[in-house]
């Protein structure tokens, strides 16, 4: 089983889409491992987006991520990293096809509702950046044999 980090970014909370997006992942068959509601500090945002340091949109991106609360979630499931990335769509909402989260709910490049880890290695690093080991709840849903 693979784990991945999802952030429902501040625009998602402001637009009251938290429940809608969580429902999509639940219905897909991913299982919740951890979830919390917090306003990211500048330090946390810098660490999370360290790979984008120096890019023209970096400062604006940090302001956006720290501008209001975020929901951080760890999802688990078969191929969870790529499943979540496919469900998110492309970075630019305007170029994301209908049926994807960004395609259905967004038209901005920056305010694109959601973050999902882009590799299993980055997922592991991001999960430990946003969560303490004790926050991760291991459990076996009763429908696991049916979901796969
Ligand atoms: P991703 O979230 O689809 O993986 P990344 O390239 O990793 O996209 O970029 C991280 C985040 O930075 C994006 O989700 C988006 O919020 C923002 N971003 C990326 N490219 C641009 C841009 O060209 N202008 C403004 N914001 C951007
Ligand atoms: Mg990315």
């Amino acid at each position: 089983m693979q784990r991945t980090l999802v952030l429902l970014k501040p625009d998602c909370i402001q637009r009251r889409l938290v429940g809608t997006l969580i429902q999509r992942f639940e219905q897909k068959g991913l299982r919740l491992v951890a979830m919390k509601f917090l306003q990211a500090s500048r330090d946390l945002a810098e660490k999370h987006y360290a790979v984008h340091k120096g890019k023209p949109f970096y400062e604006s991106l940090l302001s956006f991520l720290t501008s209001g609360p975020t929901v951080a979630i760890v999802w688990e499931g078969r191929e969870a990293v790529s499943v979540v990335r496919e469900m998110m769509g492309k970075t630019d909402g305007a170029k994301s096809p209908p049926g994807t989260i960004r395609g259905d709910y967004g038209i901005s490049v920056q305010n694109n509702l959601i973050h999902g880890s882009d590799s299993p290695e980055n997922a592991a690093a991001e999960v430990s950046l946003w969560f303490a080991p004790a926050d991760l709840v291991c459990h076996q849903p009763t429908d696991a044999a049916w979901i796969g």
Side-chain angles (χ1 to χ4, degrees):
M1 283 291 167
Q2 209 172 58
R3 288 179 178 176
T4 192
L5 180 85
V6 163
L7 301 179
L8 304 181
K9 295 177 179 178
D11 58 331
C12 183
I13 284 78
Q14 298 303 323
R15 294 180 55 201
R16 302 172 190 268
L17 286 169
V18 170
T20 301
L21 298 201
I22 289 176
Q23 186 177 38
R24 287 192 176 218
F25 294 118
E26 264 197 310
Q27 290 182 337
K28 178 67 177 169
L30 293 164
R31 65 170 80 145
L32 264 178
V33 173
M35 176 157 64
K36 70 176 165 188
F37 185 57
L38 75 165
Q39 185 152 355
S41 65
R42 167 96 194 183
D43 181 58
L44 179 58
E46 278 180 4
K47 286 180 177 143
H48 179 77
Y49 278 133
V51 67
H52 295 302
K53 192 167 182 177
K55 293 190 183 160
F57 59 84
Y58 178 70
E59 279 304 325
S60 171
L61 178 59
L62 293 196
S63 300
F64 166 54
L65 190 62
T66 58
S67 65
T70 289
V71 177
I73 307 172
V74 180
W75 290 109
E76 184 176 75
R78 216 183 126 246
E79 308 273 349
V81 169
S82 60
V83 164
V84 167
R85 293 286 295 186
E86 290 289 319
M87 290 174 72
M88 284 164 49
K90 297 183 177 168
T91 306
D92 184 347
K95 296 188 173 63
S96 283
T100 64
I101 289 167
R102 288 163 170 173
D104 286 350
Y105 302 110
I107 203 162
S108 166
V109 181
Q110 177 184 274
N111 297 10
N112 57 7
L113 298 158
I114 185 165
H115 165 84
S117 309
D118 61 9
S119 69
E121 296 71 30
N122 287 340
E126 290 173 0
V127 166
S128 38
L129 180 62
W130 288 81
F131 291 93
D135 296 334
L136 307 176
V137 182
C138 298
H139 63 112
Q140 187 76 354
T142 54
D143 64 3
W146 296 94
I147 298 287

